Structures are given as structure tokens and as C-alpha cells.
Amino acid sequence: MAVHSQTIDYDQLNTLTERRLLPGMNDAIMRSRALLKRRYDKGTKLDGGTVIQCNYLYGEGPGGPYDDGQALDTSEVDIVTGALFQWKLYYASATIRHSDELKNRGKAQIGSIYDTKYGQMEETMKSQLGNALYGSSVVNALAVNGLADHVAATGTVGGISKSLNPWFQAKVVNMTAVPMTAYWIRNGLGLSTEDENTPDELYGDQTVYNILYNIAEPQKRFMDVSEASIGFRNILVEDRPLYIDSKCPAQTLYGLTGKTWDMVVHQDENMRFQGWERPFGRTSRTSFLFIAWNLICKNPRFNVVWTNVAS
């Protein structure tokens, strides 16, 4: 009597993936690090456009005290400029060789191998987006405009030169040969504060976290409990949560003003799943996750970076 092995209905598998697995995978990716979660949760979803346009307000218009009968200044003042950002495309893929399909035809084996491949795509996308957040489109033209571009005093971002426009410069505190102390933390935060605009998020790697932990007075080592409850360990430094992020460059501490940031994602390319397909001339099958996005800072001057941080 012939024994029929379990075969795979790929149309059904792809449908189940999109309906049941993809929402959870998307959530796991976007909540994999505090910086990504904060930007994505308050980000913008756009339905298209050849580029992403952001308008910057960098001055004040006419105004002031006046007296009845006084002619008021209604002159037009150009205090707005626009920056153009490109859509940046990211992907993660997984491939199953035909020989592995043949070896895993049982129901349990099929579930195991595909669960592993979905996990691979999820971890790959987590890592790629984490690298992108701290990276630079100047270094890699295909990459998003990450913190290295925005939180800087030089360079051109979105077509605007930081060197020629001081209002577009972030604050940079170089700690070379200067031990990090509470004074320098307050100094950097003060430089990037104007009225209600002040950094409210801090990011560093484990080494920087340890340095600031030792600086903080024991009775002030509290944490943002709401963030800690979902896995983001932190301490409060000058009443701002400091998060550990393994993707943050070594000896670097970022102070970000959350409301000045926007993670713009294309709504039709937001963790889009392309199902298991066999490329022409290949026996293996491949699936993909895709996202089109970029990171924008609306007011770089309210953000700060400390470089060469050491104890």
C-alpha cells in the first residue's frame, strides 16, 4: 500500500501567514527596542508620494504690543523651509531548500521548519531596523537618515546644510579626555533646551549605561516603570529615562526630544509579506518582509549627543 507524505499547500500557508502570524511579527519587530517603539508608535503612515517632505519653522513672524490706531506689521516673512527625504527600502528574507522540504514532509516537521524561518526573518528585520536608527545615509546612500545624520552639527540632511544653517544643528558634546560627570550631563541637556523643548529620552550601550548608573545617586536610581514592564530596562538620569541599546555606537550617549521626531512609513509597504515562491530556475523557495520608511527630525537643535564618553 502506498504511503502518501504530507504535502504543503503554499497558497494556504501564505494566507495563514498574512492573517495570523504577520500582525504578531510586526508587533514584535516594532517593540524590539525602546527607540524603535517610541518612534513607530507616534510615527506617520503615508499612502504615497515620490519623496517625504518636511517643513521646518526656524524663526518668528511679525508681532508684539500695539496701540489702537497703530498700523500693524503684516509683512510676509520667510521663516519656513522644506526638506526632502527619500523613501528607504528594507527587507528580510528566508529561503528553504527543496531538499529540506523533502526531509520535512510530516505535519510536525513542516510546522517546525517554517516557524524557524519566520523567526529568522523577524530577527533579521529587528537587527536591520536597529542598525538603521543609529546609522547614516551619508555613509550608505541606501540607508535611512539615522541619528548619525540628524544629531550632528555638520553634514547635509534632507537637502539642508547644517554648516550653513545653525538652527539646523544638533548639540554635540565631545568628552575626549574628560570623564563623564553629572555636570556634563546637565550641560548637554541645557544646551539643547529651549523653554518646553528639552530632551526627554536618553540612549546608550551597556558601558555608557554603567557609567551613568554609577554617577546617579543611589536614592535617585528610579526607572520608568511603564517602559520596564514591557522589557525596556532603564534608569532615570536628570528625570529622563536612559535605555540600554546594543545598536547604539560605543562611547556615545544620545539625548532626544521625542516630539521632534517622526518615523514615516509607507502604509502599503509596512512589513509587507511576500509569500513562499520558487524563483525561476531554482528549486528552493523564498519569502520576504518589506518596509519603506525614513526617520525625520523636525528640530535637530533640541537634541544632543555626547561622544567619546568614558568614566
Side-chain angles (χ1 to χ4, degrees):
M1 182 175 66
V3 178
H4 298 283
S5 61
Q6 182 78 27
T7 58
I8 303 172
D9 184 334
Y10 282 99
D11 288 338
Q12 184 181 39
L13 177 62
N14 292 335
T15 299
L16 288 173
T17 299
E18 291 184 346
R19 290 181 180 178
R20 299 184 181 180
L21 294 181
L22 194 59
M25 191 184 302
N26 186 13
D27 188 65
I29 290 169
M30 294 306 177
R31 295 177 181 273
S32 59
R33 52 192 0 98
L35 178 57
L36 181 58
K37 174 186 178 297
R38 283 174 169 251
R39 298 293 80 81
Y40 183 77
D41 284 354
K42 296 184 179 181
T44 301
K45 309 297 186 295
L46 297 181
D47 59 2
T50 56
V51 295
I52 304 168
Q53 181 168 347
C54 179
N55 292 324
Y56 292 91
L57 178 67
Y58 61 89
E60 299 179 359
Y66 72 97
D67 184 58
D68 287 341
Q70 174 184 335
L72 303 183
D73 184 356
T74 59
S75 59
E76 183 177 353
V77 179
D78 186 9
I79 56 173
V80 177
T81 190
L84 301 178
F85 294 87
Q86 302 298 320
W87 289 106
K88 301 297 183 174
L89 312 177
Y90 280 70
Y91 79 98
S93 69
T95 298
I96 295 180
R97 294 179 298 178
H98 184 54
S99 60
D100 289 332
E101 286 184 282
L102 295 176
K103 296 173 185 176
N104 294 275
R105 283 297 175 93
K107 187 174 182 179
Q109 293 92 327
I110 289 173
S112 176
I113 190 171
Y114 281 94
D115 282 347
T116 299
K117 293 300 181 178
Y118 290 133
Q120 172 189 322
M121 284 195 293
E122 179 181 311
E123 293 304 314
T124 299
M125 188 62 82
K126 286 178 182 177
S127 180
Q128 291 301 317
L129 297 187
N131 290 331
L133 288 170
Y134 292 97
S136 169
S137 185
V138 175
V139 176
N140 180 359
L142 297 178
V144 302
N145 295 103
L147 266 59
D149 289 345
H150 292 292
V151 191
T154 60
T156 298
V157 181
I160 300 177
S161 169
K162 289 180 177 290
S163 300
L164 299 178
N165 298 279
W167 58 268
F168 201 57
Q169 298 173 2
K171 303 303 186 292
V172 178
V173 182
N174 190 338
M175 300 298 297
T176 300
V178 180
M180 176 61 89
T181 64
Y183 166 79
W184 288 109
I185 297 172
R186 287 193 297 271
N187 176 266
L189 293 173
L191 290 173
S192 50
T193 295
E194 182 179 311
D195 301 324
E196 79 281 9
N197 300 300
T198 186
D200 50 13
E201 311 167 15
L202 299 170
Y203 299 90
D205 66 6
Q206 183 68 59
T207 300
V208 169
Y209 181 93
N210 292 343
I211 291 172
L212 270 67
Y213 183 91
N214 291 330
I215 291 173
E217 298 176 26
Q219 67 271 26
K220 293 184 179 180
R221 289 175 184 157
F222 303 116
M223 66 173 61
D224 185 332
V225 178
S226 63
E227 296 287 354
S229 66
I230 55 176
F232 300 130
R233 186 158 56 96
N234 65 86
I235 59 172
L236 294 182
V237 178
E238 293 290 319
D239 296 321
R240 285 99 164 160
L242 165 63
Y243 300 100
I244 302 173
D245 197 324
S246 63
K247 298 296 186 180
C248 187
Q251 295 187 292
T252 303
L253 173 65
Y254 282 103
L256 309 182
T257 299
K259 66 182 180 180
T260 67
W261 293 87
D262 193 7
M263 179 176 172
V264 182
V265 179
H266 197 297
Q267 66 179 25
D268 296 326
E269 195 78 348
N270 183 10
M271 293 302 153
R272 178 176 63 85
F273 175 73
Q274 182 171 304
W276 298 98
E277 298 178 353
R278 199 188 304 277
F280 179 77
R282 301 286 297 275
T283 59
S284 59
R285 290 184 182 271
T286 301
S287 68
F288 296 90
L289 279 179
F290 295 103
I291 183 171
W293 66 298
N294 209 331
L295 185 66
I296 295 172
C297 184
K298 301 174 182 177
N299 265 311
R301 69 182 184 274
F302 301 137
N303 296 268
V304 59
V305 59
W306 294 261
T307 61
N308 302 301
V309 175
S311 56

